[in-house]
Amino acid sequence: MNFKKKIHFILFGLFAITACKKNNETPKENKSVDVYVVGTSIAANGVSVATYWKNGVATKLTDSLSASFAYAIAVDESGVYVAGAVGSTAVYWKNGVQITLPGAGTYATSIAVSGGDVYITGTSGNNIATYWKNGVINQLTKSVPGRSSHASAVAIKGKDVYIVGSVAAAHSNSVATYWKNGVAKKLVDTALFSYATDIVIQENDVYISGYTNLNLEGPTVATYWKNDVQHSLPDTESSEAQSIAINGNDVYLAGFTYAHISGPYTYTVATYWKNGVQTQIGKAAIDAFATTILTNGTDVYVAGVFGDTIPFYWKNGKQIQFTNNNATGYSMILVYK
């Protein structure tokens, strides 16, 4: 497996999980917020424990008898919801109470709560794009040998449920796709490799982040779609967008670019873009991924995995360390006070 294909696989498994964090409306002025980061902490016995941090205070969601992972978080007036896994089984926690999701071969990627209903995306069975509503399983595609599909993020607008991800075409390429109330729409030509990673709905506009090849021989390029119209970023190196945020007329993306430091090895550099202008925030020669971008007025927050055992997020370009313990933060949300 070459490095680039390996990165795509890892990102499905860990990092394409960012839709749970968004408010559809972003304030024009900075407001006081609580910062929630979700991920894993490492217990004394070396086992990963699903954990979230509120303003740096950790809440462990289970014990360390079995490995557990927390990938996505949502908060509403009824409490804190976290999607993840215990062992190889997808679960979610509501206020610390664990609910196991039905289906075989399940994997959870994102979570959203709307009107008291809990929506979780992921995969089930033989890599079939799936979502659960209040624990009831709904597969978005049929099982076809050699053609996997993935659901990476969800957003709710009124009674409409939008889910983004990918579906393998006949030639096995991943094709960026979204589903509105279960009806699929491909975002690019099926001959090109592409993936949809995140979605934000603001008023009547639907924004989707991801990446695609611009031609059959070219690298993947960080991309977003506004109401199905594609906008690919002008990077010289290969890049991927894992998260999107909208603030007024400004479009923010977060993900990574590829960099060749020495020899044949390719590193990934955590990166975000504002209206197409790139800012790299990862460290040289350390693989780093930005998984979440959020705005609060003029403040810009970026979270991800930056190659450090002591995790942090970025606020306006400054590192904010949120724990002194060995841990990994995968995603974050801002909750207005």
Side-chain angles (χ1 to χ4, degrees):
M1 178 183 293
N2 66 38
F3 184 75
K4 188 168 183 178
K5 289 183 178 179
K6 188 174 181 180
I7 286 295
H8 292 311
F9 175 80
I10 292 171
L11 284 171
F12 166 67
L14 289 180
F15 304 120
I17 47 179
T18 54
C20 56
K21 66 206 178 316
K22 304 292 197 308
N23 292 313
N24 288 337
E25 299 295 333
T26 303
K28 294 181 180 180
E29 297 180 358
N30 296 17
K31 291 187 176 181
S32 180
V33 295
D34 290 319
V35 179
Y36 290 78
V37 179
V38 65
T40 60
S41 55
I42 306 302
N45 61 356
V47 173
S48 297
V49 177
T51 304
Y52 73 86
W53 294 262
K54 178 183 178 181
N55 301 327
V57 178
T59 298
K60 295 183 178 181
L61 294 165
T62 185
D63 56 38
S64 61
L65 297 178
S66 298
S68 59
F69 308 89
Y71 296 135
I73 185 168
V75 177
D76 72 359
E77 61 276 3
S78 65
V80 179
Y81 299 77
V82 177
V86 175
S88 58
T89 301
V91 304
Y92 76 97
W93 293 267
K94 178 182 178 181
N95 297 327
V97 177
Q98 181 180 312
I99 298 98
T100 300
L101 295 170
T106 55
Y107 195 95
T109 55
S110 75
I111 187 168
V113 181
S114 178
D117 294 322
V118 181
Y119 300 83
I120 298 170
T121 63
T123 62
S124 63
N126 188 25
N127 285 332
I128 300 171
T130 300
Y131 78 95
W132 294 263
K133 179 181 177 181
N134 300 326
V136 177
I137 190 170
N138 300 274
Q139 292 184 322
L140 292 163
T141 63
K142 295 180 179 180
S143 178
V144 178
R147 297 194 198 176
S148 62
S149 59
H150 309 297
S152 54
V154 59
I156 313 299
K157 178 70 171 179
K159 295 183 179 180
D160 293 326
V161 180
Y162 294 79
I163 295 170
V164 299
S166 72
V167 176
H171 44 68
S172 299
N173 258 359
S174 169
V175 179
T177 303
Y178 74 91
W179 294 264
K180 179 180 178 181
N181 301 325
V183 178
K185 181 177 179 62
K186 292 180 171 60
L187 289 165
V188 300
D189 185 323
T190 58
L192 301 175
F193 181 93
S194 59
Y195 200 106
T197 57
D198 193 13
I199 180 170
V200 171
I201 303 173
Q202 184 150 301
E203 297 179 348
N204 295 319
D205 294 321
V206 179
Y207 297 84
I208 297 171
S209 65
Y211 45 94
T212 183
N213 294 117
L214 298 183
N215 55 68
L216 292 177
E217 301 300 325
T220 58
V221 176
T223 298
Y224 74 92
W225 294 264
K226 178 181 178 182
N227 301 328
D228 299 354
V229 177
Q230 181 174 316
H231 304 266
S232 293
L233 303 187
D235 293 313
T236 56
E237 291 280 353
S238 180
S239 59
E240 300 184 10
Q242 295 294 315
S243 178
I244 187 167
I246 309 300
N247 190 344
N249 294 321
D250 295 323
V251 179
Y252 294 82
L253 297 171
F256 59 88
T257 50
Y258 290 94
H260 298 277
I261 305 300
S262 62
Y265 193 82
T266 301
Y267 293 91
T268 56
V269 182
T271 304
Y272 75 90
W273 297 261
K274 177 183 178 181
N275 300 327
V277 178
Q278 178 189 121
T279 300
Q280 292 185 327
I281 54 178
K283 296 180 179 179
I286 297 177
D287 283 324
F289 311 85
T291 61
T292 307
I293 191 162
L294 303 167
T295 63
N296 174 32
T298 59
D299 291 334
V300 179
Y301 294 76
V302 180
V305 179
F306 298 102
D308 291 64
T309 57
I310 303 300
F312 57 87
Y313 60 87
W314 295 79
K315 178 182 178 182
N316 301 328
K318 180 181 179 181
Q319 292 184 16
I320 308 295
Q321 184 177 317
F322 59 85
T323 177
N324 291 320
N325 299 317
N326 189 358
T328 300
Y330 293 136
S331 188
M332 71 187 303
I333 58 171
L334 306 177
V335 177
Y336 306 125
K337 296 181 180 180

